[in-house]
Amino acid sequence: MKTIDELLAEGVSGKRVFVRADLNVPLAGGAITDDGRIRAVQPTIAKLAEAGARVVVASHLGRPKGAPDPAFSLAPAATRLGELLGADVAFATDTVGSSAKETVAALADGQVAVIENLRFNAGETSKDDAERGAFADQLAELADVYVGDGFGAVHRKHASVVDLPARLPHAAGYLIATEVGVLKKLTADVKRPYVVILGGAKVSDKLAVIDELLGKADRILIGGGMAYTFLYAKGYEVGISLLQKDQVDVVKEYMERAAETGVELVLPVDILASKDFPDLKGKTPAEFVTVDADKIPADKEGLDIGPKTRELYASKITDAETVFWNGPVGVFEHPDYAGGTSAIAQALVDSSAFTVVGGGDSAAAVRTLGFDENAFGHISTGGGASLEYLEGKTLPGLAALEV
């Protein structure tokens, strides 16, 4: 995989460099609530601009249905990028139309432009190779060189991720190089004990990574909505908690495999449970009870791990040398149910291990709850991409950069 430093050594002054970034940031009322992904790609963009490149930044945001949708415009991200760069950033109001062509043509050496959301064009995500390729051909007209630095999208077979680098000289940006380097520490020559914390809503989203980690991790700590399928598989009643009954047999098999292979699979011992899912917008106080994990009332759902579980999980992290965390262990968006996720984050901060926060909601939780990002070994920008890498899958966006 060609590095951006090798590309810079060849010279990029005056060249149009297309940077496939991941500016898929959360928005509330048009305002960015977490700019972590923009800050993560800023060093690559800044370095190219300093070297005299005419930088064309592209990304997706959300899931528009192949047509323009103002709710998913990248305009706020372009504004924030300009603030981080300390320079004006031009913004094209389309992807490959007249605005994009005119905006890119107007760039001087060292200037930066952002084009509109790639997913406003159906060709970006099309499963039809010809349609995807036709869109990539149009994007290629905007650039001389391609730099892949949108790690959060490298597990997607999309036009700007896979087809475009096949049409242009290409290299990997600093963010992708960092992300891959970190993930290699989690898959090859891992320092032990190796502890994995998995949360999030659905156990089905994590089955493949659990399957892979049962042969690699020393301990797997389970939390979040997915924990209730495990508790149900143990024979516990889980009330109205999130439950995937169709996955119970698979979960039972994994629990048996963990016991056979000596992997310590740790489940919650107590739960915060409530009759109602909390109001996340108003953040109104929640009514809940703390109960043992095998005593969840029939009319209540589990929304966070309890205080005993927080202490238990922290103790399982204390002696770790490597820790990977993906998925909050409770409804952290509400202050009454943020205690478990906060306790996990604090345990990672207190640990002397190499700690990796696996992107997505975990990264958002760390920032929302006020933790110093520098207190962790690495905070990934790609939750899904990180998981698929750990599952042993070939990521199309990385494979495209290696050709």
Side-chain angles (χ1 to χ4, degrees):
M1 189 182 294
K2 188 174 186 176
T3 68
I4 189 172
D5 286 330
E6 290 173 319
L7 179 66
L8 290 166
E10 294 171 358
V12 294
S13 182
K15 292 183 179 180
R16 299 170 303 164
V17 180
F18 188 105
V19 178
R20 198 339 178 157
D22 179 9
L23 308 180
N24 185 28
V25 292
L27 299 171
I32 296 170
T33 58
D34 180 0
D35 67 354
R37 284 175 169 159
I38 304 175
R39 287 185 286 111
V41 76
Q42 186 260 349
T44 291
I45 296 168
K47 196 73 172 181
L48 288 166
E50 288 168 11
R54 303 177 182 192
V55 187
V56 182
V57 182
S59 176
H60 68 287
L61 192 152
R63 295 179 182 270
K65 302 187 179 190
D69 183 338
F72 297 106
S73 175
L74 279 173
T79 299
R80 181 59 182 143
L81 177 61
E83 292 170 353
L84 292 168
L85 292 171
D88 290 336
V89 169
F91 181 67
T93 57
D94 57 29
T95 54
V96 291
S98 59
S99 179
K101 291 173 182 175
E102 291 168 8
T103 300
V104 172
L107 288 175
D109 294 359
Q111 290 187 330
V112 178
V114 174
I115 63 174
E116 187 54 285
N117 192 335
L118 291 164
R119 291 185 182 173
F120 285 1
N121 190 303
E124 169 67 1
T125 59
S126 175
K127 290 185 174 14
D128 181 83
D129 291 349
E131 184 179 9
R132 228 176 38 249
F135 183 48
D137 287 338
Q138 291 178 291
L139 290 172
E141 293 176 8
L142 301 175
D144 305 303
V145 181
Y146 176 94
V147 171
D149 215 26
F151 180 74
V154 293
H155 58 315
R156 306 295 188 191
K157 190 178 180 182
H158 291 170
S160 66
V161 177
V162 173
D163 302 276
L164 186 54
R167 288 158 168 76
L168 294 170
H170 51 266
Y174 291 123
L175 176 59
I176 278 188
T178 298
E179 294 273 15
V180 172
V182 166
L183 288 169
K184 284 181 178 177
K185 291 183 179 180
L186 301 177
T187 53
D189 299 322
V190 181
K191 291 185 177 180
R192 299 183 180 279
Y194 177 19
V195 178
V196 176
I197 307 126
L198 295 176
K202 294 182 179 180
V203 70
S204 55
D205 293 340
K206 302 291 196 303
L207 287 177
V209 75
I210 294 172
D211 185 44
E212 186 71 18
L213 288 169
L214 281 173
K216 295 179 178 176
D218 297 299
R219 296 180 200 129
I220 301 176
L221 317 182
I222 303 292
M226 63 182 286
Y228 303 103
T229 301
F230 279 87
L231 294 173
Y232 188 86
K234 285 191 71 173
Y236 299 168
E237 290 301 325
V238 296
I240 56 172
S241 303
L242 187 61
L243 172 64
Q244 290 185 279
K245 283 190 176 181
D246 60 331
Q247 304 297 336
V248 169
D249 288 342
V250 179
V251 166
K252 284 182 178 178
E253 179 195 339
Y254 285 178
M255 291 166 70
E256 291 168 2
R257 277 177 53 197
E260 291 167 1
T261 57
V263 175
E264 192 177 357
L265 188 61
V266 189
L267 302 179
V269 295
D270 62 343
I271 296 294
L272 268 58
S274 173
K275 286 185 178 180
D276 302 303
F277 195 83
D279 170 20
L280 299 181
K281 290 184 179 178
K283 303 281 178 70
T284 53
E287 292 185 5
F288 60 85
V289 294
T290 302
V291 296
D292 290 342
D294 61 348
K295 293 183 175 62
I296 299 175
D299 63 344
K300 292 182 172 60
E301 65 177 318
L303 296 170
D304 195 10
I305 58 172
K308 293 178 185 176
T309 305
R310 296 170 197 176
E311 290 183 13
L312 172 65
Y313 284 13
S315 73
K316 298 295 182 182
I317 294 168
T318 301
D319 67 339
E321 290 292 335
T322 305
V323 182
F324 173 72
W325 172 31
N326 182 281
V329 296
V331 186
F332 76 91
E333 297 90 344
H334 193 287
D336 290 339
Y337 301 115
T341 299
S342 182
I344 294 294
Q346 188 61 55
L348 265 64
V349 169
D350 294 340
S351 171
S352 60
F354 176 63
T355 56
V356 179
V357 180
D361 287 340
S362 311
V366 163
R367 298 185 183 106
T368 299
L369 297 173
F371 286 89
D372 180 0
E373 294 179 48
N374 295 321
F376 303 89
H378 179 69
I379 298 180
S380 179
T381 57
S386 295
L387 285 179
E388 291 198 16
Y389 190 100
L390 293 182
E391 290 167 17
K393 291 183 178 179
T394 297
L395 305 187
L398 297 184
L401 296 174
E402 290 169 349
V403 176

